[in-house]
């Protein structure tokens, strides 16, 4: 059969590519408030980042479930995918960096107090990785359903919590206070967790799956921190030391979060092996 006869041309009774992806709605979601040419770039970069974060949350949720079910192998694929997504997000800042300070100032006032600081999906990613800040929930009180979703995520164990539980299931001695910790609080380093990971790294063959899990976690954090750094440098390049539109200190705030470690013991053991 010729290629001409194989290609479907009549879609009156069939679903199209555009319908499957809901492209009409997706591609009509870029509404410039200023009419400035470069505002389209600004909107689309942030929308693309949000789409990627939606997939990150999907994969992290699957990874947490897999680890809880003792299926570490399944979690590896999901966490590797998260790392690949993060690399795509890092590259997106290069595109936004083509926006100059003068161009941004042409439409910045139209943003009002809207700011990436308010990204609820970014907060959900932080929560999933164990960085919990209950005070940020106030930002989302305008939307009760969204506020409830964030509150639920705040009270759920994160990715590192279930990884530590996997250590305990494997026979490592973990402080019960860590296993039963208040998960609404940001995770703090613990010597028993560090000792367990250190043993994993010192006998890789015996603890191969836990070793693989540890390295996948490091990949996720490493790439996220690179994303944070590129975000900070892009903001500095475009607005310098100005305050953010949402009232944050801008570059100062973005620099401060670079010091936070999501999985601190996995970085500390590198010094002690």
């Amino acid at each position: 059969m010729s290629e001409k006869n194989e290609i479907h041309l009549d879609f009156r009774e069939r679903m199209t590519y555009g319908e499957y992806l809901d492209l009409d709605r997706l591609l009509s979601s870029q509404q410039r408030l200023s009419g400035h040419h470069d505002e389209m770039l600004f909107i689309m970069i942030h929308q693309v980042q949000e789409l990627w974060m939606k997939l990150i949350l999907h994969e992290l949720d699957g990874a947490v479930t897999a680890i809880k079910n003792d299926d570490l192998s399944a979690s590896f694929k999901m966490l590797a995918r998260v790392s690949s997504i993060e690399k795509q997000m890092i590259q997106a800042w290069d595109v936004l960096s083509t926006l100059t300070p003068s161009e941004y100032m042409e439409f910045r006032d139209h943003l009002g107090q809207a700011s990436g600081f308010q990204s609820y999906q970014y907060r959900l990613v932080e929560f999933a990785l164990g960085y919990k800040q209950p005070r940020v929930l106030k930002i989302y009180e305008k939307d009760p359903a969204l506020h409830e979703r964030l509150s639920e995520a705040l009270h759920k164990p994160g990715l590192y919590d279930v990884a530590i539980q996997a250590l305990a299931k494997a026979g490592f001695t973990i402080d019960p206070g860590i296993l039963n910790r208040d998960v609404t609080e940001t995770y703090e380093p613990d010597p028993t967790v560090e000792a367990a990971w250190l043993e994993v790294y010192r006998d890789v063959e015996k603890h191969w799956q836990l070793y693989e899990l540890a390295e996948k976690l490091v990949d996720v954090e490493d790439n996220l921190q690179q994303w944070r750094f590129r975000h900070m440098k892009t903001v500095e390049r475009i607005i310098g030391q100005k305050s953010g539109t949402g009232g944050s200190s801008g570059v100062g705030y973005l620099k401060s979060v670079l010091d936070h470690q999501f999985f601190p013991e996995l970085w500390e053991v590198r010094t002690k092996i």
Side-chain angles (χ1 to χ4, degrees):
M1 185 179 293
S2 69
E3 181 179 313
K4 180 178 178 180
N5 292 330
E6 290 178 350
I7 298 174
H8 294 294
L9 299 175
D10 185 354
F11 285 90
R12 286 174 294 183
E13 302 298 330
R14 296 186 177 99
M15 179 177 64
T16 66
Y17 170 82
E19 288 169 339
Y20 174 67
L21 295 178
D22 201 6
L23 287 182
D24 285 346
R25 186 163 54 141
L26 180 65
L27 298 180
S28 63
S29 298
Q30 296 76 42
Q31 302 297 323
R32 289 178 290 168
L33 299 181
S34 68
H36 191 280
H37 176 85
D38 294 315
E39 190 182 357
M40 182 66 77
L41 164 67
F42 190 83
I43 292 170
M44 291 194 69
I45 287 295
H46 288 86
Q47 287 184 340
V48 167
Q49 298 271 23
E50 291 292 338
L51 283 171
W52 279 130
M53 279 191 275
K54 182 173 183 178
L55 185 53
I56 284 177
L57 289 167
H58 177 70
E59 299 298 337
L60 288 178
D61 184 62
V64 166
T65 299
I67 295 168
K68 287 172 69 175
N69 292 335
D70 303 322
D71 190 359
L72 299 188
S73 295
S75 75
F76 298 159
K77 176 66 175 292
M78 299 170 191
L79 294 175
R81 184 172 292 159
V82 169
S83 294
S84 294
I85 294 166
E86 290 170 330
K87 290 174 183 176
Q88 291 293 317
M89 293 174 68
I90 292 167
Q91 294 299 313
W93 295 127
D94 290 342
V95 183
L96 187 59
S97 291
T98 64
L99 180 69
T100 69
S102 298
E103 290 163 345
Y104 180 51
M105 292 308 295
E106 290 289 329
F107 62 85
R108 188 184 193 225
D109 287 347
H110 288 79
L111 275 63
Q113 278 72 55
S115 166
F117 181 81
Q118 299 148 15
S119 169
Y120 70 85
Q121 288 199 123
Y122 178 68
R123 295 302 172 191
L124 288 170
V125 170
E126 286 190 329
F127 285 3
L129 298 181
Y131 186 52
K132 304 289 184 73
Q133 292 182 298
R135 66 184 181 86
V136 303
L137 264 63
K138 185 171 180 60
I139 298 171
Y140 310 101
E141 290 177 348
K142 180 179 181 179
D143 185 336
L146 179 56
H147 187 273
E148 177 64 22
R149 180 182 174 188
L150 282 150
S151 181
E152 288 179 2
L154 180 72
H155 288 83
K156 284 183 178 179
L159 177 64
Y160 200 44
D161 290 308
V162 296
I164 292 170
Q165 289 165 10
L167 288 171
K169 289 178 183 178
F172 291 97
T173 301
I174 305 295
D175 185 343
I178 293 297
L179 296 174
N180 300 293
R181 77 182 192 88
D182 181 356
V183 296
T184 66
E185 296 181 355
T186 295
Y187 178 80
E188 296 291 340
D190 176 78
T192 63
V193 173
E194 182 180 312
W197 285 126
L198 190 57
E199 187 173 338
V200 168
Y201 274 83
R202 282 175 171 166
D203 195 342
V204 171
E205 290 187 10
K206 181 178 179 181
H207 306 294
W208 179 256
Q209 283 214 316
L210 288 169
Y211 170 72
E212 279 287 287
L213 175 59
E215 285 298 289
K216 290 292 185 292
L217 294 177
V218 170
D219 287 342
V220 168
E221 177 166 348
D222 189 355
N223 284 302
L224 183 60
Q225 291 291 53
Q226 291 186 53
W227 179 87
R228 281 174 155 182
F229 178 79
R230 287 296 300 127
H231 182 195
M232 180 271 293
K233 294 304 292 184
T234 302
V235 171
E236 186 175 33
R237 175 173 177 154
I238 295 174
I239 69 168
Q241 302 301 316
K242 294 186 184 74
S243 297
T245 48
S248 75
S249 59
V251 169
Y253 168 77
L254 296 175
K255 284 183 177 179
S256 70
V257 298
L258 288 172
D259 291 330
H260 176 76
Q261 291 182 325
F262 293 96
F263 317 131
E265 293 89 355
L266 292 178
W267 296 99
E268 184 63 28
V269 296
R270 282 158 161 74
T271 304
K272 297 184 178 179
I273 291 173

